[in-house]
Every structure is written in C-alpha cells, then in structure tokens.
Amino acid sequence: MPKYMQKTVIEIKSLCKDFEIKQKSSGFFGGLSSALRPHHKHIKAVDNVSFSVNEGELLAFIGPNGAGKSTTIKMLTGILFPSAGSINVLGFDPTKERQKLAYHIGSVFGQKPQLWYHLPAIDTYNLLARIYELDQSEYKIHLAFLIEAFEIGDLLNTPVRKLSLGQRMRCEIAASLIHKPKIIFLDEPTIGLDVVAKQHIREVIKYLNEKEKVTIFLTSHDAGDIESLTKRTIIINFGQIIFDGATEALKKNYIKSKIVELVTEDPIEDFEFSGGKIIEKGKFNIKVELDISKNSIDKLLGFAVENFDIKDINIFDPPLEEIIADIYRAQKV
C-alpha cells in the first residue's frame, strides 16, 4: 500500500504517566515518623511520548526494565489512564472505551498466561468464543485455521500445565487471535524459550503480519527478535523516546558486535585471534566478542576450524540493554 494511503491505527500525543510512591524511612524512629507523615516520591514513568503506528506494521517497542514500555502498553489497552496527553487506538479512546476496544485487539504477555493452567487449551478457546460473542459456525472455521497455522492440533486436549513453554506460547498466541483482532500486543513472546522454539514463534509472528495483515506491537529483550522480525523500532528509556526509525538503521549504527561461542573436542590452550576479544574461557569452550564492522564471523570461524577440532558453534547478539545504553550515551555527548 502506498505510504500516503496507509491508515493510522495507533496514535498517541504528548502522553504522560506519573506515579506517586509512598516511601518509608529506615530505622525505628524513621519508620514511626514515616507512618505518621508518609513521604511520597514522584515518578514520571512516561514523559511526553508521541508516535503513530500504521495498519499492517510490525513494530518493536523496546527498552530496559523500568523504561516505561509496559506502562505505555497498559495505557494503549486501557488498563491504565494517562496523566496527560491523548490516545487513539482504532478510533477508540482506551480511557473511555476500553470494553469496545477489547473486541478489536489481542494481547500476549510472556509471563502472564491467559490459558487456564489445569485445563486443555480447547476449553479456554471455547470460553473466549462465548465471551467475545462469536458466531459458533464462524468460530469453528477460524479455529480450524488457527490449529493448522500454529500446528497445535495434537496439543488441544492436553492440560496446559503439561505443555512445554514453546508449545504453550503457540497456544497463547492462538488464544489471542480467536476473535480476529486487528492489532495484537506481544510482550516478551519468546522469553525463556530455546532456539528452536524461538524460531517457531518468530515464524508464527511473521505469518500473522504478512498473511493475516495483523498489526503487531512487539516488545522484547531479545535483539534477535527485533533483527529478524521488525522493520521499525522505537526505543524508550527513562520514559522518553530515544530512537524511532528503521530497524536496519539501528543494526547498522548500533548493533556492531556479535558474541561467538566455540565448543571444542580437545582442551583449549592458546587462542590467539586478533580480531576478537575473549570474554569467557573454559577448558573446552570459549566466547569471543567480535566487532563485525571490522571482522567477519566467517574469518573467526575459518581460524577456529583450521586450528581446533570444533564440536559446536553458537552465535549470540549483545544484550539489548548494552545497545540501548550505547544509544543513550551517544545522545548525551
């Protein structure tokens, strides 16, 4: 769709959220004094944030813990009310029309399941269909589609508590799509998953966005999620947006290193590769931080294979917190 024809589905302007937190003084007398005259600390969790999201975007909204991203999502979904500013999601004001908005959005929180823990997933799906007042014949057709797309047919009648984390997350995302939402908020959907399960979830997210045209608002601490899925990234820190642009620009300007772990058959004695920095070393394994703007991963692997009997290779992104800290420091210079 040409840019001038794109429809805005999320728009927030000058959004702020303030909290007052009661603090206690230390010590017996301080505690007594605090109880009689409580001290409140003012926290600005979200500070004058503005941005918009177009229909069909797959957007990463990221930041360190306490940066304000979860607070922003809660305001977008109507769970929290803003202290100032305006919000428009699919033409609804979440502060006034949360119930109406709920019929058009979905959410998945990696650490807060919506599936009933002791019941099979199919029971939760059937309950959600009733809650959303779905036509039963249309629901069955759509459910069959979700079962096939997410490859969960053999999981439906197993109690959720017996599913692996990767299996549960696939069922969780399917549950959020029962009512065909136009926007889905995914908060840490790959947290705690192994490499294979992460890749499966990423494929599911791509499918939703590309085939089903669902607008996806993604938060993650995994740089791999952002690199492989999103075209646009917004970074929030200390309640303010410090980056809003193409993910490719973020990768080019700030994700300049990779961590390569090599596992060998024989003990590692000398490892002299001038293009990398050794950050961890064991008897049979070594981790090297590589500046990919100066040296390629292929060069390191070539050196390793030529000089050692390699058993396994793992490649990691630097922690997202480090990337965000670099951006923040760059802005302060």
Side-chain angles (χ1 to χ4, degrees):
M1 182 183 291
K3 193 169 183 179
Y4 66 88
M5 294 179 63
Q6 288 180 334
K7 178 182 177 183
T8 299
V9 293
I10 297 175
E11 185 166 16
I12 64 176
K13 296 179 180 179
S14 305
L15 191 65
C16 298
K17 181 60 180 179
D18 302 334
F19 291 102
E20 294 286 341
I21 297 179
K22 187 183 293 185
Q23 289 191 318
K24 294 182 179 179
S25 302
S26 60
F28 175 78
F29 292 105
L32 179 61
S33 174
S34 177
L36 296 174
R37 296 190 303 275
H39 173 67
H40 291 83
K41 181 180 179 181
H42 180 80
I43 295 177
K44 191 172 280 293
V46 177
D47 185 8
N48 197 34
V49 166
S50 299
F51 65 83
S52 62
V53 179
N54 290 327
E55 186 177 31
E57 273 198 84
L58 204 173
L59 165 78
F61 186 69
I62 62 176
N65 292 330
K69 60 183 185 299
S70 293
T71 301
T72 302
I73 291 174
K74 287 177 181 178
M75 288 190 284
L76 286 170
T77 54
I79 297 172
L80 290 177
F81 288 2
S83 303
S86 64
I87 311 174
N88 187 299
V89 180
L90 294 168
F92 298 99
D93 180 347
T95 63
K96 300 175 182 177
E97 302 170 288
R98 181 185 176 189
Q99 189 171 356
K100 292 180 181 178
L101 177 62
Y103 282 85
H104 303 280
I105 62 174
S107 60
V108 174
F109 296 92
Q111 296 177 311
K112 296 179 181 178
Q114 60 182 319
L115 296 174
W116 285 73
Y117 186 66
H118 294 290
L119 297 178
I122 188 64
D123 289 354
T124 300
Y125 296 163
N126 291 335
L127 176 62
L128 290 172
R130 296 291 183 182
I131 291 173
Y132 286 111
E133 302 173 354
L134 303 179
D135 178 89
Q136 285 300 299
S137 59
E138 291 183 8
Y139 159 63
K140 289 177 181 179
I141 294 172
H142 185 55
L143 179 61
F145 162 76
L146 292 175
I147 291 170
E148 182 179 357
F150 289 76
E151 300 178 6
I152 55 175
D154 58 341
L155 308 177
L156 291 179
N157 294 300
T158 301
V160 171
R161 69 178 185 276
K162 295 185 178 181
L163 300 178
S164 70
L165 185 54
Q167 291 171 332
R168 181 176 69 78
M169 286 309 301
R170 279 152 54 199
C171 292
E172 287 279 357
I173 296 176
S176 70
L177 297 166
I178 289 292
H179 57 300
K180 298 182 180 180
K182 296 176 182 176
I183 302 174
I184 181 168
F185 295 90
L186 298 175
D187 189 16
E188 303 286 356
T190 64
I191 191 169
L193 302 184
D194 60 37
V195 174
V196 175
K198 279 185 180 182
Q199 186 56 36
H200 200 142
I201 295 298
R202 288 169 185 168
E203 289 171 359
V204 165
I205 293 172
K206 277 186 179 180
Y207 182 90
L208 292 175
N209 181 247
E210 294 174 1
K211 303 297 182 182
E212 293 299 297
K213 308 303 180 186
V214 178
T215 303
I216 295 177
F217 198 94
L218 170 72
T219 76
S220 178
H221 278 86
D222 191 324
D225 288 346
I226 296 150
E227 281 192 89
S228 62
L229 290 172
T230 66
K231 292 183 178 179
R232 177 188 172 196
T233 298
I234 296 176
I235 298 178
I236 186 170
N237 200 18
F238 298 108
Q240 297 181 325
I241 290 176
I242 62 170
F243 179 91
D244 183 356
T247 303
E248 191 62 36
L250 177 66
K251 289 165 59 179
K252 181 179 178 181
N253 297 326
Y254 296 103
I255 304 179
K256 296 182 178 180
S257 66
K258 293 281 185 180
I259 297 170
V260 181
E261 180 185 34
L262 303 168
V263 182
T264 62
E265 291 283 0
D266 302 314
I268 300 172
E269 294 180 0
D270 296 322
F271 192 96
E272 298 180 2
F273 180 74
S274 60
K277 175 185 176 184
I278 297 174
I279 58 174
E280 186 179 311
K281 186 177 183 294
K283 188 174 182 180
F284 295 96
N285 73 295
I286 190 166
K287 285 185 179 180
V288 180
E289 186 173 7
L290 190 68
D291 186 339
I292 56 178
S293 66
K294 298 177 181 177
N295 292 281
S296 69
I297 294 176
D298 288 343
K299 187 176 179 181
L300 171 60
L301 297 183
F303 167 82
V305 170
E306 184 177 341
N307 292 278
F308 300 90
D309 187 1
I310 301 298
K311 184 179 179 180
D312 196 10
I313 299 169
N314 296 299
I315 302 174
F316 307 95
D317 294 291
L320 199 57
E321 285 78 3
E322 290 184 11
I323 299 168
I324 294 170
D326 288 343
I327 297 172
Y328 190 72
R329 281 194 293 267
Q331 289 192 336
K332 290 297 182 182
V333 173

